[in-house]
Amino acid sequence: MPRRRVSYYYDPDVGSYSYGLGHPMKPLRMRITHELLTAYDMLDKMDVLRAERSTPETMTSFHTDEYIHFLARVTPDTAEELTYNGTRFLVGDDNPAFEGVFEFCSISAGGTIAAAKRITSGAADISINWAGGLHHAKKREASGFCYINDIVLGILELLRTYPRVLYIDIDCHHGDGVEEAFYTTDRVMTCSFHKFGEYFPGTGTQEDRGRGKGMGYAINVPLKDGLNDDSFRSIYEPVVARAVEVFQPSVIVLQCGADSLAGDKLGCFNVTMQGHAHCVHFVRDMNIPFILLGGGGYTVKNTSRTWVYETACALGIENDIDLNLPWNEFFDWFGPRYRLEVAENNMEDTNLKDGSLDRVREAALQQLSELQ
Ligand code: VJV
Ligand code: CA
Ligand code: ZN
């Protein structure tokens, strides 16, 4: 297989935004990822691009005019008034009106839209935007740390060229915003793997399969605490392979939320860096163009480690890289081992109790077979 042409989108300003003191979402992780990619000499092996920032008009191809008009002007000082005391657009403390929130969103969305155009133009086989993947944002409001749904905007761009788009979401949370946006169409198949049961956002059961023309085209894989590499692989591989077989997508969008990793601050799975990156390998080996996006990931150093390793997978050089980290500006963060690794812990995999993993797998495969 010839080396894939990879385009990587990065805006040097992205790491400077802050959701506020103590908020788990840290845009700095994109800068740390970039520093590691630099230290590993990976930037020379791909097209490193800075996308144009997304305009309000572009954002309204999914979001309402009213919401975008609000987001483009809200500041920490006007938030209370413009949200009608926190009852509209930004509800609760998950989505603060932080300084520069709109610029941050325009970087994230601009990157994903540019990544999509890079694929449709034929200039890249794989494009990457680690600042994207904000899957909870809704048409008329922010949700779960996500304000603008860059994924929906990127998929809409892909649909101008391609008949069918497969969306795969390995973030520990359900990809509800993307599922909802394409719930009634058969041109986008959404497939989310997520923790289900007393967990945000609370949607994503296997009964939710799409509606109308889209019936059967929303796949949900609800999982339990402690999911390990073997369990994850045993369900991801057959479900994704079958989805590709029955749906025949022209392009794949893979949301690589890193909160499914072992030891994540908000996550509850026990997946290693290699187990997570296997999802990228598996898609790469299908020889279909694809886009890699970020998402969750709250243990910052592990998120950066994994996205660096996944960039190496996209480049096809994952076996050539030294797992001892090269010196870089953030080297201190990576002690005591200073290695490119995320190890498993001793958590029990509760998916293996009373056969739940097998039942969930069978139900997903059954749903896919009914599409043929
Ligand atoms: O569970 C929730 C909602 C609450 C309201 C907010 N409080 C703090 C907790 C309960 C009901 N929200 C989740 C949202 C998770 C979003 C995940 C996003 C992604 O990874 O899927 C894609 C990027 C949640 N879990 C944890 C927190 N919120 C949380 C929010 C904070 C916080 C600590 C935890 C907000 C501010 C501060 N600390 C200072
Ligand atoms: Ca998910
Ligand atoms: Zn998440």
Side-chain angles (χ1 to χ4, degrees):
M1 181 63 206
R3 282 268 155 88
R4 250 52 75 86
R5 293 167 304 153
V6 180
S7 289
Y8 161 76
Y9 286 88
Y10 178 69
D11 189 309
D13 293 335
V14 74
S16 315
Y17 296 91
S18 168
Y19 277 59
L21 207 66
H23 196 289
M25 179 58 108
K26 311 245 182 256
L28 184 66
R29 64 210 177 119
M30 274 76 82
R31 197 171 127 210
I32 301 176
T33 303
H34 188 78
E35 291 300 326
L36 281 180
L37 291 171
T38 310
Y40 268 117
D41 286 328
M42 279 194 242
L43 301 185
D44 309 339
K45 301 181 177 65
M46 53 195 180
D47 292 327
V48 179
L49 302 165
R50 181 177 179 166
E52 272 182 39
R53 294 183 180 187
S54 168
T55 62
E57 294 71 54
T58 307
M59 293 172 179
T60 58
S61 62
F62 172 55
H63 297 282
T64 63
D65 293 1
E66 199 192 10
Y67 174 51
I68 297 305
H69 181 71
F70 157 82
L71 199 65
R73 45 202 285 266
V74 71
T75 65
D77 293 334
T78 59
E80 202 160 82
E81 193 186 334
L82 297 182
T83 62
Y84 304 89
N85 299 308
T87 61
R88 294 195 64 192
F89 308 131
L90 309 177
V91 180
D93 55 356
D94 280 345
N95 292 83
F98 61 85
E99 190 73 57
V101 61
F102 185 77
E103 282 165 64
F104 172 76
C105 294
S106 66
I107 292 171
S108 164
T112 301
I113 294 165
K117 289 182 175 163
R118 194 81 178 161
I119 300 288
T120 59
S121 75
D125 307 308
I126 304 173
S127 55
I128 303 176
N129 178 30
W130 295 126
L134 304 182
H135 59 179
H136 298 305
K138 302 290 155 55
K139 188 181 166 84
R140 45 186 88 249
E141 67 180 355
S143 170
F145 316 161
C146 308
Y147 301 79
I148 294 296
N149 203 312
D150 63 288
I151 309 170
V152 171
L153 297 173
I155 292 174
L156 289 171
E157 185 63 43
L158 294 169
L159 289 173
R160 293 163 62 146
T161 302
Y162 298 119
R164 287 176 306 283
V165 179
L166 173 62
Y167 172 67
I168 306 170
D169 184 319
I170 62 169
D171 188 289
C172 188
H173 297 93
H174 178 229
D176 58 348
V178 185
E179 177 181 283
E180 187 179 294
F182 300 111
Y183 207 57
T184 59
T185 178
D186 57 2
R187 292 185 61 199
V188 179
M189 177 179 279
T190 60
C191 178
S192 177
F193 298 82
H194 48 268
K195 151 82 178 177
F196 183 80
E198 291 170 41
Y199 199 64
F200 185 88
T203 47
T205 77
Q206 283 185 300
E207 271 96 74
D208 293 339
R209 301 166 160 222
R211 197 185 332 124
K213 266 191 160 179
M215 185 47 143
Y217 292 86
I219 318 283
N220 281 302
V221 183
L223 300 162
K224 298 181 179 170
D225 287 1
L227 181 77
N228 66 29
D229 285 358
D230 288 345
S231 296
F232 190 24
R233 186 174 179 152
S234 82
I235 196 158
Y236 180 89
E237 283 193 356
V239 169
V240 169
R242 194 97 180 97
V244 168
E245 186 179 305
V246 306
F247 187 58
Q248 300 272 316
S250 341
V251 59
I252 297 175
V253 176
L254 178 55
Q255 195 269 19
C256 299
D259 49 6
S260 39
L261 291 168
D264 186 83
K265 231 173 118 178
L266 297 188
C268 49
F269 291 163
N270 193 13
V271 171
T272 69
M273 178 182 78
Q274 311 279 350
H276 199 270
H278 179 73
C279 299
V280 177
H281 268 128
F282 195 70
V283 164
R284 189 190 72 190
D285 291 346
M286 300 201 145
N287 289 323
I288 297 168
F290 68 94
I291 299 178
L292 290 180
L293 302 174
Y298 306 99
T299 299
V300 167
K301 58 192 175 165
N302 289 344
T303 302
S304 294
R305 282 175 165 120
T306 300
W307 290 348
V308 165
Y309 189 70
E310 289 173 346
T311 304
C313 290
L315 290 166
I317 59 164
E318 70 277 11
N319 295 320
D320 309 337
I321 68 173
D322 187 348
L323 297 181
N324 293 310
L325 289 168
W327 188 87
N328 66 87
E329 242 193 276
F330 295 93
F331 195 70
D332 294 352
W333 289 51
F334 295 95
R337 285 169 60 81
Y338 305 99
R339 281 178 63 81
L340 194 66
E341 65 184 4
V342 178
E344 63 190 346
N345 55 43
N346 60 6
M347 222 176 163
E348 183 195 5
D349 185 345
T350 58
N351 294 283
L352 298 173
K353 287 206 282 196
D354 47 75
S356 90
L357 188 69
D358 294 333
R359 277 200 309 279
V360 170
R361 187 192 305 104
E362 273 326 300
L365 293 174
Q366 175 63 31
Q367 178 183 336
L368 283 163
S369 70
E370 285 167 13
L371 283 178
Q372 280 197 318

